[in-house]
Amino acid sequence: MLYVSLASLIWLLDRASKIWITSTMDLYAVRPILGRWLTFTYVQNRGAAFGLLGGQTFMLAMISIGLLVGLFVFRSKLHDLPRGGKLAISLIVAGALGNLYDRLAFGYVIDFIDLQVWPVFNIADSAIVVGAFLMVWVVWRMEMSGEQK
Protein backbone atom coordinates (compact mmCIF):
# COMPACT_ATOMS: atom_id res chain seq x y z
CA MET A 1 0.00 0.00 0.00
CA LEU A 2 2.95 2.32 0.65
CA TYR A 3 4.03 2.08 -3.00
CA VAL A 4 0.51 2.76 -4.29
CA SER A 5 0.35 5.79 -2.01
CA LEU A 6 3.72 7.00 -3.28
CA ALA A 7 2.66 6.58 -6.92
CA SER A 8 -0.59 8.42 -6.19
CA LEU A 9 1.27 11.28 -4.51
CA ILE A 10 3.67 11.67 -7.43
CA TRP A 11 0.77 11.59 -9.89
CA LEU A 12 -1.04 14.28 -7.88
CA LEU A 13 2.10 16.46 -7.76
CA ASP A 14 2.49 16.06 -11.50
CA ARG A 15 -1.15 17.02 -12.15
CA ALA A 16 -1.05 19.95 -9.73
CA SER A 17 2.16 21.31 -11.28
CA LYS A 18 0.72 21.06 -14.79
CA ILE A 19 -2.52 22.73 -13.74
CA TRP A 20 -0.51 25.52 -12.12
CA ILE A 21 1.72 26.00 -15.17
CA THR A 22 -1.16 26.08 -17.66
CA SER A 23 -3.17 28.48 -15.50
CA THR A 24 -0.31 30.92 -14.82
CA MET A 25 1.74 30.84 -18.04
CA ASP A 26 1.06 31.25 -21.73
CA LEU A 27 2.31 28.62 -24.15
CA TYR A 28 6.07 29.07 -24.78
CA ALA A 29 6.35 31.62 -21.97
CA VAL A 30 9.56 31.46 -19.93
CA ARG A 31 9.83 32.15 -16.19
CA PRO A 32 13.35 32.20 -14.65
CA ILE A 33 13.55 30.22 -11.40
CA LEU A 34 17.28 29.89 -10.71
CA GLY A 35 18.82 32.38 -13.11
CA ARG A 36 19.90 30.79 -16.35
CA TRP A 37 20.20 27.32 -14.77
CA LEU A 38 16.52 26.57 -14.32
CA THR A 39 13.48 28.12 -15.92
CA PHE A 40 9.88 27.11 -16.31
CA THR A 41 9.09 27.05 -20.02
CA TYR A 42 5.58 25.94 -20.90
CA VAL A 43 5.57 23.66 -23.95
CA GLN A 44 3.22 21.03 -25.33
CA ASN A 45 5.08 17.84 -26.25
CA ARG A 46 3.21 15.89 -28.91
CA GLY A 47 5.84 13.16 -28.94
CA ALA A 48 7.79 11.00 -26.54
CA ALA A 49 11.04 11.83 -24.76
CA PHE A 50 13.02 14.55 -26.54
CA GLY A 51 10.06 15.08 -28.88
CA LEU A 52 10.66 11.76 -30.63
CA LEU A 53 7.69 10.19 -32.41
CA GLY A 54 5.90 13.53 -32.67
CA GLY A 55 2.24 13.25 -33.52
CA GLN A 56 2.06 9.61 -32.42
CA THR A 57 -0.23 10.29 -29.46
CA PHE A 58 -2.34 7.17 -29.97
CA MET A 59 0.66 4.85 -30.25
CA LEU A 60 2.36 6.42 -27.21
CA ALA A 61 -0.86 6.13 -25.20
CA MET A 62 -1.16 2.46 -26.20
CA ILE A 63 2.42 1.80 -25.09
CA SER A 64 1.66 3.35 -21.69
CA ILE A 65 -1.55 1.37 -21.36
CA GLY A 66 0.29 -1.82 -22.37
CA LEU A 67 2.94 -1.19 -19.70
CA LEU A 68 0.30 -0.62 -17.04
CA VAL A 69 -1.73 -3.69 -18.08
CA GLY A 70 1.45 -5.80 -18.08
CA LEU A 71 2.31 -4.67 -14.57
CA PHE A 72 -1.24 -5.42 -13.43
CA VAL A 73 -1.19 -8.91 -14.99
CA PHE A 74 2.17 -9.75 -13.40
CA ARG A 75 1.50 -7.95 -10.11
CA SER A 76 1.94 -11.14 -8.08
CA LYS A 77 5.58 -11.28 -9.26
CA LEU A 78 6.16 -7.72 -8.06
CA HIS A 79 5.83 -8.87 -4.46
CA ASP A 80 9.12 -10.75 -4.92
CA LEU A 81 11.03 -7.59 -5.79
CA PRO A 82 13.25 -5.96 -3.19
CA ARG A 83 12.13 -2.57 -1.84
CA GLY A 84 14.19 -0.69 -4.41
CA GLY A 85 12.47 -2.57 -7.23
CA LYS A 86 9.04 -1.81 -5.81
CA LEU A 87 10.00 1.84 -5.47
CA ALA A 88 11.21 1.86 -9.08
CA ILE A 89 7.93 0.37 -10.31
CA SER A 90 5.99 2.97 -8.29
CA LEU A 91 7.93 5.80 -9.90
CA ILE A 92 7.53 4.39 -13.40
CA VAL A 93 3.79 3.80 -12.94
CA ALA A 94 3.25 7.30 -11.53
CA GLY A 95 5.10 8.88 -14.45
CA ALA A 96 3.37 6.74 -17.05
CA LEU A 97 -0.03 7.62 -15.59
CA GLY A 98 0.84 11.32 -15.46
CA ASN A 99 1.82 11.52 -19.11
CA LEU A 100 -0.95 9.13 -20.20
CA TYR A 101 -3.50 11.41 -18.55
CA ASP A 102 -2.17 14.36 -20.57
CA ARG A 103 -2.17 12.42 -23.84
CA LEU A 104 -5.74 11.21 -23.36
CA ALA A 105 -7.10 14.52 -22.05
CA PHE A 106 -5.23 16.97 -24.31
CA GLY A 107 -3.48 15.06 -27.10
CA TYR A 108 -0.07 16.20 -25.84
CA VAL A 109 2.05 16.18 -22.67
CA ILE A 110 2.51 19.37 -20.69
CA ASP A 111 6.23 20.01 -20.09
CA PHE A 112 7.74 22.95 -18.22
CA ILE A 113 10.98 22.17 -16.34
CA ASP A 114 13.80 23.62 -18.43
CA LEU A 115 17.44 23.09 -17.45
CA GLN A 116 18.64 24.76 -20.67
CA VAL A 117 20.95 21.83 -21.51
CA TRP A 118 18.23 19.21 -21.72
CA PRO A 119 14.82 19.07 -23.41
CA VAL A 120 11.95 20.52 -21.36
CA PHE A 121 10.34 17.89 -19.12
CA ASN A 122 7.90 17.46 -16.21
CA ILE A 123 7.55 15.64 -12.88
CA ALA A 124 6.16 12.51 -14.57
CA ASP A 125 9.18 12.34 -16.89
CA SER A 126 11.48 12.69 -13.88
CA ALA A 127 9.70 9.85 -12.08
CA ILE A 128 10.04 7.58 -15.13
CA VAL A 129 13.74 8.31 -15.57
CA VAL A 130 14.60 7.94 -11.87
CA GLY A 131 12.48 4.75 -11.69
CA ALA A 132 14.16 3.26 -14.76
CA PHE A 133 17.67 3.98 -13.44
CA LEU A 134 16.71 2.60 -10.04
CA MET A 135 15.32 -0.57 -11.63
CA VAL A 136 18.53 -1.07 -13.63
CA TRP A 137 20.54 -0.64 -10.42
CA VAL A 138 18.30 -3.10 -8.51
CA VAL A 139 18.52 -5.72 -11.26
CA TRP A 140 22.28 -5.23 -11.49
CA ARG A 141 22.62 -5.65 -7.71
CA MET A 142 20.48 -8.79 -7.82
CA GLU A 143 22.61 -10.21 -10.64
CA MET A 144 25.83 -9.40 -8.83
CA SER A 145 24.64 -11.05 -5.61
CA GLY A 146 23.27 -14.09 -7.44
CA GLU A 147 19.80 -13.45 -6.04
CA GLN A 148 17.09 -15.16 -8.04
CA LYS A 149 14.06 -13.11 -7.01
Side-chain angles (χ1 to χ4, degrees), residues 1-120:
M1 193 61 170
L2 171 67
Y3 300 105
V4 172
S5 297
L6 176 63
S8 299
L9 176 63
I10 292 169
W11 183 84
L12 287 171
L13 289 171
D14 181 65
R15 285 297 322 128
S17 67
K18 291 172 179 177
I19 290 167
W20 179 71
I21 286 295
T22 57
S23 66
T24 62
M25 293 180 69
D26 293 327
L27 186 60
Y28 304 117
V30 176
R31 180 179 296 151
I33 303 300
L34 293 175
R36 62 185 172 134
W37 301 104
L38 171 66
T39 64
F40 285 169
T41 305
Y42 171 29
V43 298
Q44 297 172 346
N45 184 353
R46 298 181 186 280
F50 311 114
L52 298 172
L53 302 172
Q56 299 296 319
T57 302
F58 179 76
M59 182 185 71
L60 293 167
M62 297 304 348
I63 290 170
S64 294
I65 291 169
L67 166 79
L68 296 168
V69 167
L71 287 171
F72 180 78
V73 168
F74 294 105
R75 69 189 178 280
S76 64
K77 297 287 185 191
L78 300 179
H79 294 292
D80 295 337
L81 285 173
R83 278 187 241 161
K86 291 175 185 174
L87 175 60
I89 294 293
S90 297
L91 293 169
I92 293 166
V93 166
L97 286 171
N99 286 340
L100 177 62
Y101 179 92
D102 284 4
R103 285 192 178 95
L104 295 177
F106 312 117
Y108 54 83
V109 173
I110 298 163
D111 286 335
F112 63 93
I113 303 170
D114 191 353
L115 299 175
Q116 307 300 315
V117 296
W118 196 259
V120 181

Side-chain angles (χ1 to χ4, degrees), residues 98-148:
N99 286 340
L100 177 62
Y101 179 92
D102 284 4
R103 285 192 178 95
L104 295 177
F106 312 117
Y108 54 83
V109 173
I110 298 163
D111 286 335
F112 63 93
I113 303 170
D114 191 353
L115 299 175
Q116 307 300 315
V117 296
W118 196 259
V120 181
F121 59 99
N122 59 45
I123 292 172
D125 296 335
S126 300
I128 292 168
V129 169
V130 170
F133 278 110
L134 180 57
M135 184 57 77
V136 167
W137 183 76
V138 166
V139 169
W140 178 76
R141 295 279 305 202
M142 289 171 62
E143 289 290 322
M144 294 303 290
S145 69
E147 198 173 328
Q148 296 298 317

